[in-house]
Amino acid sequence: MAQPDKKFFENLSGAGKAIAVLTSGGDAQGMNAAVRAVVRMGIYVGAKVYFIHEGYQGMVDGGDNIREATWESVSSMLQVGGTVIGSARCKEFRTHEGRLKAAHNLVQHGITNLCVIGGDGSLTGANLFREEWSGLLEELLQQGLIDADAVQKYSALHIVGMVGSIDNDFCGTDMTIGTDSALHRIIEVVDAIMTTAQSHQRTFVLEVMGRHCGYLALVSALACGADWVFIPEMPPEDHWEEQMCHKLSECRSRGSRLNIILVAEGAIDRHGKAITSNEVKDLVVKCLGFDTRVTILGHVQRGGTPSAFDRILASRMGVEAVHALLGTTANTPACVVSLCGNQAVRLPLMECVQMTQEVQKAMDEKKFEEAVKLRGRSFENNLNTYKLLAHRKAESELPTSSFNVAVLNVGAPAAGMNAAVRSAVRVGISEGHKMFAVNDGFEGFAKGQIKEIKWGDVGGWTGQGGSLLGTKRTLPGKYLDKIAEQMTLHNINALLVIGGFEAFESVLQLYEARATFEELCVPLCMLPATISNNVPGTDLSIGADTALNAIVETCDRIKQSASGTKRRVFIIETMGGYCGYLATVGGLAAGADAAYVFEEPFDIRDLQANVEHLREKMKTSIQRGLVLRNENSNVNYTTDFIYQLYTEEGRGIFDCRKNVLGHMQQGGAPSPFDRNFGTKISAKAMQWISKKLKEGYRQGRVFTNTEDSACLLGMRRRALVFQPVVQLKDQTDFVHRIPKEQWWLKLRPLMKILAKYKTSYDVSDSGQLEHVVRNRPRETDAATL
């Protein structure tokens, strides 16, 4: 396992520095994970870390509100919602006198590094505090509250922000802490409501939070396939009432037993008049006579435990915030740690605040198109994808050139596959194609289990787990002649393959068989969908987020089962084949003490060191330990072996329990992330297929045999990228079915540091201060929610 490296400690030296962390404004799930990461990373680098309780109010009041944090003081808070250090609105901090008191309290504790977790108001206040800092110190000196040495010693205040807001209303970041958890609460309710709505043929109008930002409503509408959505950034056209009622009536006439309408609490029409959930309900009842109910979700969206995504996001951001604070100088502007695609970045705080304010200004001036663009490419893509999937074009509006495109699932089932198929079918139809569904993968393809699939056939698929098309691991190699025959029989002009490592191998085999079978010289596109996240060419796969949430929820329950008992360590085995993604990232999200994976070889000495580490921790107030093991991490050091070793070596200090999670990681309804990730990358894939079909159409037929006509669409750091599968061969370990290089291995030292190991941490991949980019080119679209 990785050994300490002096270079890393020198780069991260925080000796003699004091860092304070506070949460301000509205609470958001995941804030505690961010606080935990700041505290533990700060202590790791040698800094003193302080809690400021009750936000800015605690900073102004001082006293017991500012307390030094210890390693143990952030134990058992990772899975807790809200913020355990409290948050409060503070009118006094908005005054000069209040900020003077706050400055005095910070100087008394030697604090000149401030990590603020909150919304744009909280972060703007922090920046003003920073700008006034030298003047505040001079006033304190004149009043005799501090001496000249203190003015010189604490001459600069450094600010780093993290955005905690369920609304995702802060420009510059693809996701804010708490948003994914809020989406989980919304989708849980929507899924439950849909079952009762179908039973009674009802229409449900759901009001979700979002006074100034429609992100929650928009993404929830995508995730559940809502019939209509109202958001403040894009009010409906005039006479929307008739259009909506016509749409709802059409859905019912096609056999749908329910309608779902989502309303953001800040929804307005084109003239700025509020659109309320009760108004929408009354309209549906009056015009259509449908049995209609209203559900206002309210603060349930802020509650509950944070999702795996929010825990990982907050942990990564918290560590990045400490790096940023340690690297600041007197001239460094206050920055905010943001997420772009799958990468942490640092952006000037006030640039982000200014753009966020510009969004509201554009909406006030009724420049709604501009407001959508200012929200960022991710928001704009969500809106465009929803329009594509929710509103069926009339036959007269469809393109005249028609191609036949087949879609199939290959490999093990993964939550989100059905959302991807639904998206492909509807976008394909909107592009003017005939869409064909293949049952049971390539085995079904060879048998001719191919039929046309229509717009209405995929209604309600987004929330379904598994694979409704059926999927098998069978590769096409031994069926190539029959597959070619079926391609001709059904005149298939392109293939969209959704699946895991087998899907990657399948597209590679089809590409390599083009020399023999001309029928395979058509556009081939593969979307990664596997809980193992072991496909080359992508950081993330459809289904992995759902599996992570299953692991984290189970670990939370298992750890809770030890409450009030003697000290106990749990050994948990996860799936993933030879890929340690689930064990590592699940371990980070669940607060594991160790995670054993194939990619990072370990031996008996490492196991013994881990046991000793847990023995030391258990002698303090820590009562529970968690160890994850990837199923194929080592042929000899099995889960049973590790369990028996820990049991024997921990005797007298702790006892052990083991649990094999098994196929529960593969089941269940897809998470909001997987629904939307599958939906958006599938839509992008179909648009790519349409482009390739037009390029390859010659003399009445489609023919293309270039490398770039057989691609995998994956997320690489910040971008969604189409990569020729043949070019990914050299990046692949086919024996162990994993990529040769895996980005998440860089998270392993972070997991160990947060578990109190002294290990090396590579700062070379840390974010650098950048500037807010407006209207990023489409080639760099991020694939986050």
Side-chain angles (χ1 to χ4, degrees):
M1 290 181 128
Q3 298 300 314
D5 184 331
K6 289 182 180 178
K7 286 189 301 181
F8 295 110
F9 294 118
E10 288 167 6
N11 288 339
L12 289 172
S13 177
K17 294 194 175 184
I19 298 171
V21 57
L22 74 147
T23 53
S24 177
D27 63 307
Q29 307 97 317
M31 279 184 165
N32 291 323
V35 170
R36 172 180 177 267
V38 170
V39 169
R40 291 196 167 176
M41 194 66 188
I43 292 172
Y44 167 80
V45 298
K48 270 191 174 183
V49 186
Y50 291 85
F51 291 136
I52 298 180
H53 291 266
E54 310 306 332
Y56 286 117
Q57 189 66 56
M59 194 191 297
V60 171
D61 294 342
D64 287 342
N65 289 305
I66 303 176
R67 300 177 217 161
E68 188 172 352
T70 65
W71 196 276
E72 288 74 23
S73 62
V74 292
S75 296
S76 302
M77 67 190 291
L78 190 59
Q79 68 272 20
V80 179
T83 165
V84 298
I85 61 173
S87 180
R89 310 283 180 188
C90 182
K91 290 183 180 178
E92 198 174 354
F93 188 75
R94 297 177 185 175
T95 68
H96 183 78
E97 292 75 17
R99 292 192 290 276
L100 190 65
K101 287 182 187 177
H104 185 216
N105 289 327
L106 292 187
V107 169
Q108 283 183 314
H109 290 87
I111 298 167
T112 55
N113 296 282
L114 202 56
C115 181
V116 180
I117 308 167
D120 61 335
S122 303
L123 298 177
T124 303
N127 189 65
L128 176 62
F129 190 41
R130 172 185 166 276
E131 289 175 345
E132 291 182 347
W133 182 257
S134 58
L136 293 171
L137 294 192
E138 287 297 330
E139 282 188 57
L140 292 171
L141 177 64
Q142 291 168 13
Q143 293 176 18
L145 295 172
I146 61 173
D147 57 27
D149 287 342
V151 173
Q152 187 174 359
K153 187 175 181 182
Y154 306 120
S155 60
L157 178 67
H158 307 297
I159 302 284
V160 171
M162 286 183 275
V163 190
S165 165
I166 68 167
D167 292 335
N168 202 31
D169 56 354
F170 193 82
C171 293
T173 184
D174 287 344
M175 284 289 274
T176 57
I177 297 167
T179 302
D180 187 69
S181 299
L183 287 171
H184 273 258
R185 301 294 93 79
I186 295 168
I187 295 306
E188 285 164 11
V189 173
V190 173
D191 284 353
I193 279 175
M194 287 177 83
T195 58
T196 184
Q198 283 183 323
S199 301
H200 297 277
Q201 294 197 54
R202 278 186 179 143
T203 295
F204 268 90
V205 182
L206 283 89
E207 182 181 303
V208 300
M209 285 184 166
R211 191 170 302 147
H212 304 294
C213 179
Y215 186 87
L216 288 179
L218 176 58
V219 175
S220 298
L222 262 177
C224 71
D227 298 288
W228 204 272
V229 63
F230 294 95
I231 60 172
E233 292 88 346
M234 186 52 65
E237 300 291 340
D238 290 342
H239 310 298
W240 59 268
E241 298 90 344
E242 293 89 341
Q243 294 169 22
M244 184 187 75
C245 289
H246 176 70
K247 168 83 187 301
L248 299 180
S249 182
E250 239 186 10
C251 289
R252 287 292 178 95
S253 67
R254 290 200 299 267
S256 174
R257 293 179 59 84
L258 80 155
N259 300 112
I260 299 289
I261 301 167
L262 279 157
V263 183
E265 62 180 331
I268 54 173
D269 65 16
R270 290 267 158 183
H271 308 287
K273 180 177 174 290
I275 297 174
T276 68
S277 49
N278 282 315
E279 179 190 343
V280 174
K281 175 216 166 187
D282 293 341
L283 177 67
V284 174
V285 172
K286 179 183 174 183
C287 296
L288 299 174
F290 291 171
D291 186 5
T292 308
R293 299 286 189 275
V294 171
T295 298
I296 299 174
L297 270 62
H299 281 74
V300 71
Q301 296 158 86
R302 288 193 187 279
T305 60
S307 66
F309 183 97
D310 271 329
R311 298 185 199 194
I312 297 157
L313 174 67
S315 298
R316 291 174 70 183
M317 282 188 167
V319 168
E320 187 67 33
V322 173
H323 288 184
L325 283 170
L326 297 182
T328 54
T329 65
N331 298 320
T332 306
C335 75
V336 61
V337 179
S338 301
L339 182 75
C340 182
N342 189 36
Q343 188 178 10
V345 296
R346 303 174 194 171
L347 297 171
L349 191 155
M350 292 315 295
E351 285 187 21
C352 298
V353 169
Q354 183 181 355
M355 187 177 285
T356 303
Q357 292 169 347
E358 283 179 28
V359 174
Q360 191 58 51
K361 183 183 176 187
M363 288 162 59
D364 292 341
E365 294 174 356
K366 299 183 173 56
K367 298 176 180 176
F368 299 112
E369 301 282 350
E370 185 181 334
V372 169
K373 288 189 180 299
L374 287 169
R375 278 279 181 230
R377 185 66 67 189
S378 179
F379 188 95
E380 190 177 6
N381 283 347
N382 279 314
L383 183 58
N384 292 337
T385 305
Y386 176 77
K387 288 177 181 177
L388 265 179
L389 299 174
H391 303 291
R392 185 177 185 178
K393 292 179 181 177
E395 294 291 331
S396 57
E397 296 179 67
L398 295 175
T400 52
S401 57
S402 176
F403 296 100
N404 293 351
V405 181
V407 57
L408 67 160
N409 296 153
V410 177
M417 276 182 165
N418 298 320
V421 172
R422 170 185 176 269
S423 177
V425 168
R426 292 198 169 180
V427 173
I429 291 170
S430 296
E431 296 275 323
H433 309 316
K434 271 190 180 179
M435 297 300 298
F436 288 82
V438 181
N439 296 115
D440 298 334
F442 282 106
E443 197 171 309
F445 203 132
K447 293 176 182 176
Q449 294 172 206
I450 305 166
K451 63 178 181 181
E452 187 177 355
I453 187 166
K454 301 290 186 67
W455 185 281
D457 296 336
V458 292
W461 280 34
T462 50
Q464 299 291 318
S467 167
L468 293 173
L469 290 184
T471 181
K472 292 196 174 180
R473 297 177 182 272
T474 311
L475 299 180
K478 60 181 180 180
Y479 298 116
L480 286 171
D481 53 343
K482 291 181 180 177
I483 289 170
E485 187 181 308
Q486 293 295 333
M487 295 279 287
T488 302
L489 184 63
H490 293 276
N491 191 27
I492 302 298
N493 307 121
L495 278 182
L496 178 64
V497 184
I498 304 168
F501 199 87
E502 294 88 352
F504 168 65
E505 289 182 296
S506 295
V507 174
L508 194 55
Q509 285 185 2
L510 295 177
Y511 170 79
E512 290 172 344
R514 281 175 167 178
T516 308
F517 298 95
E518 201 174 271
E519 296 88 345
L520 302 176
C521 295
V522 297
L524 306 170
C525 188
M526 183 242 159
L527 300 180
T530 168
I531 69 165
S532 301
N533 199 32
N534 63 330
V535 179
T538 187
D539 290 354
L540 299 171
S541 299
I542 301 165
D545 183 73
T546 305
L548 279 176
N549 278 286
I551 291 167
V552 169
E553 286 167 18
T554 306
C555 287
D556 285 351
R557 294 181 183 184
I558 287 171
K559 284 162 67 178
Q560 191 180 52
S561 72
S563 297
T565 66
K566 57 185 176 179
R567 294 179 174 88
R568 182 165 288 167
V569 174
F570 296 94
I571 315 293
I572 312 290
E573 182 183 299
T574 67
M575 294 175 79
Y578 285 96
C579 180
Y581 175 82
L582 291 179
T584 295
V585 183
L588 178 60
D593 294 281
Y596 300 115
V597 299
F598 170 79
E599 292 90 344
E600 191 174 283
F602 58 97
D603 58 26
I604 194 69
R605 288 165 296 187
D606 295 309
L607 293 171
Q608 183 63 37
N610 294 149
V611 172
E612 288 300 323
H613 182 79
L614 277 164
R615 283 171 62 95
E616 287 302 310
K617 285 179 72 174
M618 291 292 180
K619 289 175 184 176
T620 65
S621 60
I622 306 295
Q623 291 190 320
R624 289 164 290 181
L626 183 66
V627 174
L628 273 64
R629 177 189 175 273
N630 167 242
E631 59 184 347
N632 289 342
S633 56
N634 189 291
V635 69
N636 294 312
Y637 301 133
T638 63
T639 301
D640 280 336
F641 178 91
I642 293 173
Y643 163 70
Q644 290 167 9
L645 175 70
Y646 272 65
T647 300
E648 181 62 31
E649 297 298 317
R651 197 179 300 278
I653 304 292
F654 60 80
D655 65 2
C656 278
R657 294 291 186 273
K658 66 175 177 177
N659 198 303
V660 179
L661 300 185
H663 282 75
M664 63 162 291
Q665 297 159 86
Q666 224 165 35
S671 67
F673 182 94
D674 279 330
R675 297 183 195 199
N676 289 288
F677 185 49
T679 295
K680 291 205 289 187
I681 67 168
S682 190
K684 193 174 183 74
M686 282 307 304
Q687 290 166 337
W688 177 87
I689 283 174
S690 293
K691 180 185 173 188
K692 291 295 178 185
L693 283 169
K694 289 170 187 171
E695 289 174 358
Y697 186 69
R698 298 284 187 278
Q699 298 176 342
R701 58 171 294 199
V702 174
F703 182 89
T704 179
N705 61 357
T706 56
E707 284 186 3
D708 66 355
S709 65
C711 282
L712 178 148
L713 173 57
M715 181 200 279
R716 283 289 181 93
R717 292 173 72 85
R718 301 189 189 191
L720 274 177
V721 186
F722 289 97
Q723 302 147 95
V725 289
V726 70
Q727 292 180 14
L728 294 174
K729 281 179 72 174
D730 291 340
Q731 302 174 26
T732 308
D733 175 352
F734 284 94
V735 174
H736 299 103
R737 298 158 58 82
I738 55 174
K740 290 179 181 176
E741 292 186 10
Q742 311 221 60
W743 69 272
W744 52 263
L745 287 171
K746 292 181 179 179
L747 297 180
R748 288 185 60 76
L750 169 58
M751 182 194 70
K752 294 172 190 173
I753 288 167
L754 297 181
K756 212 174 182 178
Y757 284 91
K758 276 293 181 183
T759 185
S760 60
Y761 188 78
D762 186 354
V763 297
S764 63
D765 199 42
S766 295
Q768 300 300 316
L769 191 64
E770 303 178 12
H771 292 282
V772 176
V773 178
R774 297 166 185 259
N775 298 324
R776 285 177 286 158
R778 291 192 178 275
E779 289 73 30
T780 59
D781 288 351
T784 50
L785 291 182

